[in-house]
Amino acid sequence: MIHTDIAEILCVKPKTKKTKTKTMEQDVKKTKTKTMKIEGEVVVMKKNLLDFKDVMASLLDRVHELLGRRVSLHLISSLQPDPANEKRGRLGKAAHLEKWVTKIKTSVTAGETAFGVTFDWDESMGPPAAFVIKNHHHSQFYLKSLTLRGFPESEGEGGPIHFICNSWIYPNHRYRSDRFFFSNKAYLPSKTPELMKELREEELMNLRGDKKGGELKEWDRVYDYACYNDLGAPEKGPDSVRPVLGGSPELPYPRRGKTGRKPNKADPKSESRLAFLNLNIYVPRDERFSHVKFSDFLAYALKAVTQVLFPEIASVCDKTINEFDSFEDVFHLYDGSIKLANGHTIAKLRDIIPWEMFRELVRNDGERFLKFPLPDILKESRSAWRTDEEFSREMLAGLNPVVISRLQEFPPKSNLDSAKYGNQDSSIREEHIDAYMNRLSVQEALEHNKLYILDHHDALMPYLTRINSTNTKTYATRTLLLLQEDGTLKPLAIELSLPHAQGESHGSVSKVFTPAETGVEGSVWQLAKAYAGVNDSGYHQLISHWLQTHAVIEPFIIATNRQLSVVHPIYKLLHPHFRDTMNINALARHVLISSDGILERTVFPGRYAMELSSSIYKNWVFTDQALPKDLLKRGLAMEDPNSDNGVKLLIEDYPYAVDGLEIWSAIKTWVTEYCSFYYKNDKTVQTDIEIQSWWTELRTKGHGDKQHESWWPSMQTRDDLIESCTIIIWIASALHAAVNFGQYPYAGFLPNRPTVSRRFMPEPGTVEYTELVEDTDVAFLKTITPQLQTLLGISIIETLSMHSTDEIYLGQRESPNWTADDEALEAFKRFGKELELIENNIIKRNNDKKFKNRTGPVNIPYTLLYPNTTDYTREGGLTGKGIPNSVSI
């Protein structure tokens, strides 16, 4: 194959007679104007530097280069029209990357290479507005930037001209039209120079790919929408069929990126799937992970391969297969892990797993498999996680601090349709909790905002019959809490509910459990907390994390690329907050949330997980994602016009909300200053054709199942634009950081955050109850997540909690030259300074002993919303701090 490629390159083709047809490259006329030499620098990364398997890429490209098939660039005039098309700027003479053969060397290490390039340029053509690039080599390369120097000052402007590209350039025959890039100057559509308008529109048309049919290929640059019809594997049988999410009132869902894969032969409504280990899922090439990120992802995700290694793991687990025999067995995962039986087993594993994966799986000890780092929850104490104080504190400062709400009526009421589900109101009564109320009556506690609830009842009850028909045996839970004088919460009662045995329409059957520390009552209370934790773990992973960050943000990414030009100021504002999201979501659909995927194997809703998330999406409201409004809706704050955010917290020591409101305020100030520079009034928003098209498509296609909701901003005012952009940035950055990067610190020890319950609460007189009396720990471990699922669960949780070494954090940009507008750059600097102040505030609060919820009995400082504007976390890993710009893991 290699010899054939070279032979084709060396083949001498007969010369053809040149035609008189004018093309973009033939329109450079001879003029009497002054010709300048413009020096430039092009920064690229070659394919062979990023893909160590393609060892011939460099050689083939050199052969092309020596034969004159080079990489060419043409600058496009901002002042003189193209004689063949007066709507476009005139092209300058072709220039080529210099010294390609000597500068590019075969290497397996990613790195940048800077090439010189010299343009002959007529001074009368003015500063270039864009440039065309053509790759006549054999393979693609990553184009980072072009910087031009030597232009004379014009109209008070001078200095280098920057073109920030960050795009893969495939060989020219892969494209139907030229690849071109604009300078870093931002323009509203109405302010776009005349000779740029057609190019601007053409680029958007290319990205929409409206006429592109069939399966999309890696060089296609198409952003389009599809429903979630790729989760099932109907060809495997009925158990692997999953419903299509999105496109129906019954199962609404945000849209995902289109791949164009063929329909599944067993079910034409479903899209065919790739093999499990094939990660080459289509997303636009520029949305895929960088080499560094992909390397980190592989290294961090290796243990998740246990999904296909269950038999191998089972064969090396000693004692009771698939059970932990004691908490010491669980602790041993971090102290010593599982010892492999013999060298033959190691050899078998190495045959199945690539060496890089195997090396990570066995860590630094070649005889031990799946050795995990010690989670923060265990570093201070191995028992503090079991306390009621820690159980309650994690609702305010743990990995899912976005669900707790203030109880505003007692007993708690259900919002489920009573005609369908009967009476679902709570059975908790005052006599259940009176002894734990610190001498307050329930009415007094309600009036003084002292009662709170973690309520998963309504979300889970409609699915509980189906979920419990599987190996899962769980409840729908309500947890009632009291706010104490020291600012901490304490649990008052946990209600465990099941559908009535005679059918859902007969309501629920509930039992109420109250705190106890000793005896069998204490053991029962620990189990009640575990059932509440199972509910919260599943809700966190499916709703707080996947649905409300990953899934809801993807339509914004697609719409932005389809409707906002790269030179649009709002594109420049939002683009950093979309980095890597489509790629990680595609991988999630492939291995995590698909039928029989890791999430179905490790989280209690199992095969009904994604369908359940669709039911929650029915109640999703975009404007409620603004943190102040979310806190008001959950009753955690009250309106306060004298506050910076317009709200006052009712729990002063609520770490997520306190830190979050400061971050929200900083983001909104930044967005306000930025948007106000480009949009002087409401009319500017109304007449921005790209913004209006963007918002319309976002509502009618991206979140099309909710297009008729009245709460969507009308996008007729500057305030609409500012609030919407602030919400988008908040979801992609701070909200995702708050619900993602605390997973391993808290849930890396699964008994603290069990994801599955396998049997119901033991009843007196049963064997299970006797076991609970005789050995509480064994009974506890037999109830929650079993051993193999624990290994798999911890593996994926560790992966999801990792920061990549090339992470870009809130307040940072990939390039300092992301815009040419000084006012925008100055506002961004102020944003960074404000984030630094917030970092200092967080450190002070964490060190203030009066704020007990910021560290708790386990002594874990709350740093999930610590911005980390410095570069000190560049080592990546389990840092437990830092707000990445985007949903990137």
Side-chain angles (χ1 to χ4, degrees):
M1 178 64 70
I2 294 171
H3 295 301
T4 302
D5 288 342
I6 297 177
E8 290 177 355
I9 296 167
L10 294 173
C11 180
V12 179
K13 297 182 180 181
K15 294 183 179 180
T16 59
K17 185 177 180 180
K18 295 182 179 179
T19 69
K20 295 183 179 180
T21 303
K22 292 183 178 180
T23 66
M24 291 182 73
E25 295 185 25
Q26 295 171 325
D27 61 26
V28 183
K29 296 182 177 181
K30 295 181 180 180
T31 66
K32 297 180 180 178
T33 55
K34 180 181 177 182
T35 299
M36 310 161 52
K37 292 286 187 183
I38 303 300
E39 301 296 328
E41 181 183 79
V42 176
V43 179
V44 306
M45 285 193 289
K46 276 296 287 105
K47 180 176 185 288
N48 73 287
L49 295 176
L50 303 180
D51 183 357
F52 64 86
K53 292 182 179 179
D54 193 356
V55 294
M56 290 304 297
S58 181
L59 172 62
L60 294 172
D61 286 344
R62 290 185 195 184
V63 174
H64 279 73
E65 187 78 12
L66 292 171
L67 294 176
R69 297 168 67 174
R70 307 173 68 185
V71 176
S72 66
L73 297 88
H74 296 259
L75 299 180
I76 303 175
S77 172
S78 60
L79 299 179
Q80 289 189 11
D82 179 353
N85 182 351
E86 294 187 354
K87 294 182 179 181
R88 298 180 181 229
R90 178 182 165 194
L91 257 65
K93 294 180 179 179
H96 299 89
L97 299 189
E98 299 164 1
K99 300 181 180 179
W100 182 281
V101 174
T102 57
K103 282 201 171 187
I104 288 290
K105 298 183 182 297
T106 302
S107 171
V108 297
T109 304
E112 299 175 0
T113 303
F115 292 94
V117 61
T118 304
F119 297 91
D120 291 327
W121 185 250
D122 287 345
E123 188 173 348
S124 64
M125 293 170 68
F131 73 91
V132 173
I133 186 166
K134 295 189 176 184
N135 176 12
H136 298 289
H137 284 177
H138 170 269
S139 56
Q140 68 268 28
F141 59 86
Y142 187 74
L143 177 64
K144 291 207 68 172
S145 63
L146 165 65
T147 303
L148 301 178
R149 296 179 176 84
F151 278 95
E153 292 193 11
S154 173
E155 299 179 2
E157 298 180 2
I161 299 177
H162 298 280
F163 299 81
I164 307 302
C165 307
N166 292 324
S167 183
W168 283 93
I169 309 298
Y170 278 78
N172 205 54
H173 70 273
R174 295 295 187 189
Y175 299 120
R176 291 180 293 175
S177 59
D178 289 334
R179 291 298 313 274
F180 50 84
F181 295 89
F182 299 101
S183 72
N184 61 343
K185 179 70 175 174
Y187 295 101
L188 294 176
S190 61
K191 301 287 182 67
T192 307
E194 285 299 319
L195 298 183
M196 283 179 58
K197 287 183 177 179
E198 188 174 274
L199 290 176
R200 179 175 183 150
E201 294 169 3
E202 181 183 309
E203 178 70 352
L204 286 173
M205 289 178 64
N206 289 335
L207 294 172
R208 292 180 197 129
D210 293 332
K211 297 180 181 179
K212 177 68 178 177
E215 184 171 355
L216 295 166
K217 305 299 183 183
E218 63 178 275
W219 49 82
D220 287 321
R221 303 169 57 239
V222 173
Y223 293 80
D224 207 348
Y225 304 96
C227 294
Y228 279 68
N229 65 343
D230 60 341
L231 302 179
E235 72 279 4
K236 294 182 179 180
D239 288 344
S240 295
V241 173
R242 298 294 179 270
V244 175
L245 303 183
S248 69
E250 296 76 24
L251 294 171
Y253 221 66
R255 300 301 189 261
R256 63 171 176 91
K258 175 183 175 181
T259 68
R261 292 200 301 266
K262 295 179 180 179
N264 192 296
K265 292 181 179 179
D267 177 14
K269 293 181 180 179
S270 297
E271 187 173 272
S272 57
R273 296 180 51 79
L274 301 177
F276 177 75
L277 293 179
N278 182 356
L279 300 183
N280 193 28
I281 310 150
Y282 174 80
V283 293
R285 187 65 177 90
D286 294 344
E287 300 294 337
R288 299 184 77 166
F289 291 161
S290 69
H291 170 72
V292 174
K293 176 64 176 279
F294 191 65
S295 297
D296 285 349
F297 180 80
L298 283 179
Y300 298 155
L302 301 178
K303 290 181 302 304
V305 80
T306 52
Q307 172 170 321
V308 294
L309 295 177
F310 274 16
E312 259 59 35
I313 300 173
S315 70
V316 299
C317 294
D318 48 17
K319 294 188 180 179
T320 310
I321 297 298
N322 206 27
E323 292 289 355
F324 292 109
D325 296 295
S326 68
F327 272 105
E328 287 304 313
D329 279 359
V330 185
F331 295 142
H332 200 53
L333 294 175
Y334 318 105
D335 298 333
S337 73
I338 300 171
K339 187 168 182 178
L340 297 180
N342 51 48
H344 176 67
T345 304
I346 296 176
K348 286 179 66 180
L349 292 175
R350 285 197 60 177
D351 287 342
I352 296 173
I353 316 171
W355 166 242
E356 293 81 3
M357 294 186 178
F358 182 81
R359 183 175 56 191
E360 175 66 15
L361 282 165
V362 299
R363 300 288 174 143
N364 296 320
D365 182 348
E367 292 186 350
R368 296 200 176 271
F369 186 64
L370 293 172
K371 182 178 181 180
F372 298 99
L374 188 67
D376 290 350
I377 195 81
L378 296 178
K379 288 181 178 178
E380 187 78 9
S381 164
R382 296 204 167 182
S383 60
W385 64 274
R386 302 188 86 157
T387 63
D388 287 357
E389 182 181 348
E390 180 60 22
F391 171 72
S392 304
R393 186 192 75 88
E394 290 182 23
M395 301 177 198
L396 301 173
L399 59 85
N400 193 28
V402 296
V403 180
I404 186 173
S405 61
R406 180 166 56 89
L407 190 65
Q408 301 187 46
E409 60 178 339
F410 185 87
K413 302 292 184 183
S414 171
N415 292 319
L416 292 175
D417 182 1
S418 60
K420 184 175 183 180
Y421 296 105
N423 180 15
Q424 295 288 340
D425 292 342
S426 175
S427 62
I428 300 175
R429 297 295 181 264
E430 189 159 359
E431 56 265 27
H432 288 125
I433 63 175
D434 183 63
Y436 312 99
M437 288 290 291
N438 295 354
R439 299 182 179 179
L440 288 172
S441 68
V442 167
Q443 189 58 38
E444 288 172 332
L446 287 172
E447 291 173 357
H448 291 89
N449 303 317
K450 297 291 187 181
L451 286 179
Y452 293 83
I453 187 169
L454 185 70
D455 192 346
H456 293 301
H457 181 279
D458 284 4
L460 300 179
M461 183 57 71
Y463 286 86
L464 213 49
T465 299
R466 282 174 284 175
I467 290 171
N468 284 339
S469 69
T470 68
N471 291 331
T472 293
K473 299 294 179 282
T474 196
Y475 302 90
T477 67
R478 292 183 175 107
T479 303
L480 207 60
L481 306 114
L482 178 72
L483 178 63
Q484 304 187 100
E485 292 303 316
D486 64 356
T488 63
L489 294 170
K490 76 170 183 178
L492 300 172
I494 295 174
E495 180 184 48
L496 306 181
S497 301
L498 290 170
H500 197 284
Q502 295 180 5
E504 291 180 339
S505 62
H506 292 271
S508 59
V509 177
S510 303
K511 290 188 177 182
V512 178
F513 299 87
T514 54
E517 294 183 1
T518 59
V520 68
E521 294 83 4
S523 301
V524 167
W525 175 243
Q526 289 296 326
L527 279 180
K529 290 193 294 183
Y531 290 118
V534 168
N535 274 198
D536 199 55
S537 292
Y539 193 94
H540 162 260
Q541 201 63 271
L542 286 170
I543 311 304
S544 304
H545 182 206
W546 166 256
L547 173 66
Q548 295 180 346
T549 62
H550 284 261
V552 301
I553 210 69
E554 187 161 359
F556 289 93
I557 301 171
I558 300 169
T560 300
N561 282 280
R562 284 170 57 87
Q563 299 297 339
L564 298 183
S565 166
V566 293
V567 299
H568 197 291
I570 299 304
Y571 179 95
K572 290 179 177 290
L573 172 68
L574 296 178
H575 184 253
H577 304 288
F578 300 152
R579 182 178 189 248
D580 294 338
T581 304
M582 290 188 72
N583 201 166
I584 194 64
N585 283 5
L587 291 171
R589 296 196 313 272
H590 187 55
V591 300
L592 290 180
I593 62 175
S594 56
S595 63
D596 302 317
I598 295 173
L599 190 137
E600 286 195 2
R601 289 179 178 270
T602 59
V603 179
F604 78 90
R607 62 175 298 168
Y608 303 104
M610 291 301 290
E611 188 177 340
L612 189 152
S613 74
S614 169
S615 71
I616 302 300
Y617 177 64
K618 291 178 181 178
N619 299 316
W620 182 80
V621 177
F622 173 70
T623 49
D624 286 352
Q625 307 313 301
L627 180 59
K629 196 163 184 180
D630 169 59
L631 294 169
L632 289 170
K633 187 175 182 179
R634 290 191 284 123
L636 272 299
M638 59 188 297
E639 292 184 355
D640 180 5
N642 297 319
S643 167
D644 291 341
N645 293 289
V647 297
K648 178 183 178 181
L649 291 174
L650 296 179
I651 300 179
E652 181 184 359
D653 186 13
Y654 184 0
Y656 162 74
V658 173
D659 297 359
L661 284 171
E662 289 190 359
I663 298 293
W664 169 269
S665 181
I667 293 172
K668 188 161 187 179
T669 299
W670 149 239
V671 172
T672 300
E673 291 181 359
Y674 183 87
C675 290
S676 298
F677 173 65
Y678 297 100
Y679 296 91
K680 302 303 182 185
N681 49 50
D682 294 343
K683 187 176 181 180
T684 321
V685 176
Q686 297 164 10
T687 57
D688 186 332
I689 57 174
E690 289 186 8
I691 283 292
Q692 296 304 320
S693 296
W694 169 65
W695 199 244
T696 297
E697 181 170 290
L698 186 280
R699 290 184 293 107
T700 60
K701 292 187 177 181
H703 283 281
D705 297 330
K706 289 187 161 289
Q707 61 183 292
H708 300 300
E709 300 286 357
S710 60
W711 42 254
W712 283 107
S714 62
M715 204 53 70
Q716 294 298 300
T717 68
R718 185 171 65 182
D719 285 346
D720 284 346
L721 181 63
I722 289 169
E723 183 75 359
S724 297
C725 289
T726 303
I727 292 172
I728 293 168
I729 295 172
W730 165 260
I731 292 172
S733 59
L735 179 59
H736 179 258
V739 298
N740 184 72
F741 293 104
Q743 292 189 82
Y744 196 80
Y746 288 101
F749 178 62
L750 226 58
N752 183 56
R753 298 281 301 179
T755 59
V756 169
S757 53
R758 295 176 284 157
R759 60 187 189 183
F760 294 121
M761 182 71 79
E763 296 287 347
T766 63
V767 174
E768 290 81 5
Y769 193 85
T770 301
E771 185 178 52
L772 183 65
V773 173
E774 295 177 350
D775 195 329
T776 298
D777 287 352
V778 168
F780 185 94
L781 292 170
K782 283 187 176 180
T783 300
I784 64 167
T785 317
Q787 186 180 47
L788 297 184
Q789 284 173 285
T790 294
L791 296 176
L792 181 57
I794 295 175
S795 297
I796 194 61
I797 286 170
E798 183 186 5
T799 301
L800 295 176
S801 302
M802 293 282 192
H803 283 294
S804 172
T805 53
D806 73 342
E807 203 79 86
I808 302 176
Y809 294 92
L810 195 63
Q812 299 175 347
R813 289 275 177 151
E814 191 167 5
S815 168
N817 302 307
W818 60 274
T819 181
D821 296 322
D822 291 336
E823 293 85 348
L825 291 172
E826 288 302 315
F828 190 65
K829 285 182 183 178
R830 290 192 293 273
F831 177 46
K833 293 294 184 183
E834 183 62 26
L835 292 176
E836 290 179 16
L837 293 175
I838 293 172
E839 291 175 355
N840 293 329
N841 293 341
I842 290 173
I843 292 172
K844 289 177 182 177
R845 286 193 289 267
N846 283 343
N847 291 330
D848 192 331
K849 299 302 180 183
K850 76 175 181 180
F851 296 129
K852 294 185 177 182
N853 295 327
R854 297 199 71 89
T855 53
V858 293
N859 195 27
I860 303 178
Y862 189 74
T863 56
L864 294 176
L865 288 176
Y866 183 88
N868 208 13
T869 55
T870 68
D871 288 332
Y872 122 75
T873 61
R874 285 298 184 181
E875 75 275 10
L878 292 169
T879 65
K881 65 174 64 174
I883 302 175
N885 270 327
S886 60
V887 179
S888 58
I889 188 64

